[in-house]
Amino acid sequence: MSTGEILRKAAQEQTALGQKTARYLEKGELVPDKVMVNLVAERLQDKDCSKGFILDGFPRTLAQADGLEAMMRERSLGLDCVLCFRVPPGVIIQRLAGRRTCRRCGTLFHVVFNPPRRRDICDRCDGELYQREDDREATVAARLRVYETQTAPLIEYYRKKGLVKEIDGDGSVEEIRNRVLGALEEISG
Ligand code: AMP
């Protein structure tokens, strides 16, 4: 589950909550912890999470990590591992600046590293590709600052619990996919 994806959908709704969410996303700021913890707790009730799940984009703060721990305890579950992708800042900026997302099915492309066959059209569903508002330069800088101050401390938090697996996130999609699969095999094997 990707919390960013859930929030982007919520932000499209013409409700007060949807509009409030959209303002956080546009600025690259974090949605309040309480909202996030409730949202994830609700999503974990869905049937597709019953045999296990991967959390993408959550937790992003120590308060969210505490919330997650409480949720897991309630279900008598434990986290298997935390993947930490190491990517040089220059590469992150290059990736975000060129990222294009399908409005209909959410498939990701990159104008240079993974271009669609037809410009601005999704290979998978013919949907329109767009650039996320928060992938624009000024917002990316704000998101990186938020990461450094609020999210990076989680690495130490989970390292102390012996859960962190570092992944070299610099490389092709295929290379990184293989590194992730290798790390996951280590824990399942
Ligand atoms: P992402 O798709 O993971 O890059 O997330 C996009 C945006 O959604 C972030 O910049 C935040 O505004 C918001 N967001 C996603 N996950 C969280 C979270 N765990 N806590 C707070 N805000 C979040």
Side-chain angles (χ1 to χ4, degrees):
M1 138 201 355
S2 151
T3 44
E5 218 167 90
I6 297 174
L7 293 170
R8 276 188 290 283
K9 262 192 206 129
Q12 280 170 12
E13 283 167 23
Q14 299 306 320
T15 58
L17 192 64
Q19 296 310 296
K20 208 170 159 189
T21 305
R23 284 197 290 277
Y24 284 110
L25 299 193
E26 275 158 25
K27 289 193 222 154
E29 290 173 5
L30 294 185
V31 171
D33 291 329
K34 219 172 153 189
V35 176
M36 291 311 302
V37 170
N38 288 336
L39 190 145
V40 170
E42 208 168 283
R43 178 66 181 82
L44 288 184
Q45 314 269 11
D46 290 354
K47 209 168 157 223
D48 62 350
C49 295
S50 63
K51 289 192 182 147
F53 46 83
I54 294 174
L55 299 169
D56 169 11
F58 182 90
R60 260 170 151 105
T61 65
L62 288 167
Q64 291 181 15
D66 285 341
L68 176 62
E69 202 166 305
M71 259 181 248
M72 300 293 278
R73 213 178 307 122
E74 248 171 54
R75 291 173 171 74
S76 304
L77 292 173
L79 289 180
D80 294 309
C81 80
V82 173
L83 299 181
C84 175
F85 293 88
R86 295 287 183 191
V87 187
V91 175
I92 294 182
I93 291 165
Q94 215 181 1
R95 283 188 188 161
L96 298 190
R99 175 160 66 179
R100 297 292 181 271
T101 307
C102 175
R103 242 183 239 293
R104 197 184 295 163
C105 73
T107 299
L108 298 177
F109 296 88
H110 189 282
V111 291
V112 179
F113 306 132
N114 178 26
R117 283 194 296 271
R118 292 157 298 171
R119 196 191 151 101
D120 295 334
I121 297 179
C122 176
D123 289 352
R124 191 179 282 174
C125 77
D126 290 342
E128 180 204 0
L129 303 185
Y130 77 106
Q131 180 175 36
R132 272 169 53 174
E133 197 61 44
D134 63 347
D135 277 349
R136 291 173 201 273
E137 213 175 313
T139 320
V140 166
R143 286 164 64 200
L144 289 174
R145 280 196 299 275
V146 165
Y147 173 79
E148 282 307 327
T149 55
Q150 305 198 57
T151 305
L154 287 178
I155 301 172
E156 205 38 47
Y157 172 91
Y158 283 121
R159 191 170 281 138
K160 282 192 185 135
K161 294 178 186 285
L163 287 172
V164 173
K165 283 195 180 288
E166 302 261 353
I167 308 269
D168 174 5
D170 196 4
S172 68
V173 172
E174 192 61 18
E175 281 165 343
I176 297 163
R177 181 174 170 272
N178 288 335
R179 288 176 204 152
V180 170
L181 291 178
L184 295 181
E185 264 165 28
E186 273 176 34
I187 57 162
S188 63

